Amino acid sequence: MQKTVLNEEHRRAGARMVDFAGWDMPLHYGSQIEEHHAVRRDVGMFDVSHMCAVDIRGSDARAFLRRLLANNVDRLQLPGRALYSTMLNEAGGVIDDLIVYHLAEDDFRVVINAATAANDLRWMTARRDEWGQAVTIRARREGADGLAMIAVQGPQARQKVWQALPECQPASAALKPFFAATVGEHLIARTGYTGEDGYEITLPAAQAVGLWKRLAEAGARPCGLGARDTLRLEAGMNLYGQDMDESVSPLDAGLAWTVDLASPRDFVGKAALLAKPQQHRFLGLLLLERGVLRAHQRVDSAHGPGETTSGSFSPTLQQSIALARLPLAAAVGDVVHVSVRDKPLQARVVKPCFVRNGSVLV
């Protein structure tokens, strides 16, 4: 398995390590529930260095991304602004979901998922070559210029980052959500995957251990993949490989807001999306009986069958919740039945965001 530069820090802290997409990653450091609550109530930090930062540079960088991504990079006019998008195949299926940062007119950074990184890079390179564009595509995982990423999330996250990295406070304090600032060799982005405020910090790999230790001294609690999953599920955020993949349209995965079909701009997969409009609604489920919702459970509604895509026990709500693809006629407030161990259990349909900024929304 591949290891991040923080691997030994996780082991010294007693983390339970697991194989995640070929990476040796911490699942938890003793209590997944306590880590979850730390992020909702105070501050937690995650090693996300298994994700891959890719620098897209050159005179055709914007034109390349304009054609490659479903969302429109022309929305990125201010340096530092970030955009969430899907990258589609010709059939309109989701190859990956990603964030693209506008650093300069000929310089963009794309952060892609660990499990899809190799395939993503092959796809990007093939499209660049096919279109004959003047673009360099460079993954920043290894070598002297390799990068690491640490996500610090929670209501106290920004204060803890400033305590550990005081030099970044002037540039990052005024950042709006989905903006980033370059501070020396650090990219400080006000983005995240938990439904809480905070920063995702990209920095030279050689400096990651020192920052991790300073954040811990400031009071940021190390958190693993277990808490990361329950936090993102409560926040209604998709997980690639569960809630969408190459066989799923973004329109059926609750990601229509990331797809720009209105402008005349063409992009890979646009024709397929126009030819096959949305087929399902992507909604949340709140279990009304005892049981645990998981992925790939059948959902029976008055409008036809559906299926859960992600599910777990919510530590904040103290109930089981799920994301699900349901018939187009399904609506918030409907009561459906989910097959849990062959037993139909009642669940209420809700908007997918269950918890955000510490507040329960359902």
Side-chain angles (χ1 to χ4, degrees):
M1 286 187 289
Q2 300 182 78
K3 298 179 180 180
T4 74
V5 69
L6 293 167
N7 187 272
E8 288 303 316
E9 293 303 309
H10 304 320
R11 292 186 173 278
R12 272 194 283 271
R16 180 186 172 191
M17 307 297 289
V18 296
D19 179 351
F20 180 78
W23 289 79
D24 189 35
M25 297 295 293
L27 180 64
H28 58 71
Y29 298 81
S31 173
Q32 176 179 326
I33 299 294
E34 290 178 7
E35 292 166 21
H36 179 107
H37 289 317
V39 174
R40 285 279 179 253
R41 300 168 182 172
D42 187 20
V43 58
M45 61 179 178
F46 303 83
D47 176 12
V48 290
S49 305
H50 59 309
M51 301 184 72
C52 186
V54 182
D55 286 342
I56 310 289
R57 293 174 175 167
S59 58
D60 289 336
R62 183 181 290 275
F64 173 68
L65 292 170
R66 186 186 292 126
R67 193 169 176 182
L68 182 75
L69 303 180
N71 213 340
N72 194 348
V73 294
D74 287 340
R75 296 175 179 173
L76 302 180
Q77 295 299 322
L78 296 175
R81 188 171 180 186
L83 183 74
Y84 177 70
S85 181
T86 51
M87 181 169 65
L88 309 180
N89 58 27
E90 294 289 358
V94 181
I95 293 174
D96 201 4
D97 65 323
L98 51 84
I99 294 179
V100 55
Y101 297 95
H102 176 211
L103 305 181
E105 188 53 33
D106 60 351
D107 188 0
F108 295 79
R109 176 168 292 163
V110 175
V111 178
I112 56 181
N113 283 301
T116 58
N119 183 56
D120 287 3
L121 289 166
R122 285 191 295 268
W123 178 262
M124 291 177 182
T125 302
R127 300 290 75 72
R128 186 268 316 270
D129 295 346
E130 176 188 348
W131 300 332
Q133 290 174 315
V135 171
T136 61
I137 301 170
R138 187 162 63 104
R140 300 287 302 278
R141 265 185 176 159
E142 300 175 352
D145 64 348
L147 299 175
M149 285 178 272
I150 298 172
V152 190
Q153 302 280 286
Q156 299 301 315
R158 298 208 296 155
Q159 286 75 15
K160 299 303 182 185
V161 168
W162 296 335
Q163 189 174 333
L165 277 175
E167 64 272 25
C168 85
Q169 183 171 354
S172 65
L175 284 178
K176 296 178 181 179
F178 258 71
F179 275 83
T182 300
V183 183
E185 296 181 288
H186 296 62
L187 181 69
I188 315 294
R190 200 171 176 191
T191 53
Y193 192 52
T194 64
E196 298 297 328
D197 197 6
Y199 293 127
E200 292 180 309
I201 305 167
T202 306
L203 72 165
Q207 300 176 27
V209 170
L211 178 57
W212 186 266
K213 289 180 177 179
R214 293 196 302 276
L215 287 166
E217 291 168 359
R221 179 169 183 151
C223 300
L225 294 173
R228 187 170 170 82
D229 190 52
T230 52
L231 288 160
R232 71 91 192 168
L233 179 57
E234 287 186 348
M237 295 180 176
N238 290 36
L239 175 64
Y240 190 86
Q242 284 193 199
D243 303 302
M244 74 290 199
D245 55 33
E246 290 198 41
S247 69
V248 177
S249 162
L251 307 181
D252 292 337
L255 297 175
W257 62 277
T258 74
V259 178
D260 171 30
L261 291 173
S263 73
R265 172 190 66 104
D266 195 17
F267 60 86
V268 178
K270 182 177 183 179
L273 297 184
L274 291 173
K276 187 179 180 182
Q278 182 179 351
Q279 306 293 303
H280 302 89
R281 290 197 70 187
F282 192 73
L283 294 165
L285 298 179
L286 185 66
L287 192 64
L288 302 178
E289 302 183 63
R290 290 179 61 87
V292 179
L293 298 179
R294 302 292 186 196
H296 309 304
Q297 292 171 329
R298 180 184 171 92
V299 181
D300 289 301
S301 76
H303 310 288
E307 182 183 39
T308 59
T309 56
S310 288
S312 184
F313 178 78
S314 162
T316 303
L317 297 174
Q318 291 293 295
Q319 283 179 270
S320 196
I321 62 174
L323 300 175
R325 258 188 292 281
L326 301 175
L328 277 176
V332 171
D334 287 355
V335 174
V336 299
H337 290 86
V338 185
S339 181
V340 179
R341 294 184 177 180
D342 297 323
K343 181 179 179 181
L345 300 182
Q346 285 191 334
R348 179 163 53 89
V349 177
V350 298
K351 290 184 178 180
C353 189
F354 302 87
V355 181
R356 189 171 290 275
N357 294 324
S359 298
V360 175
L361 304 180
V362 295

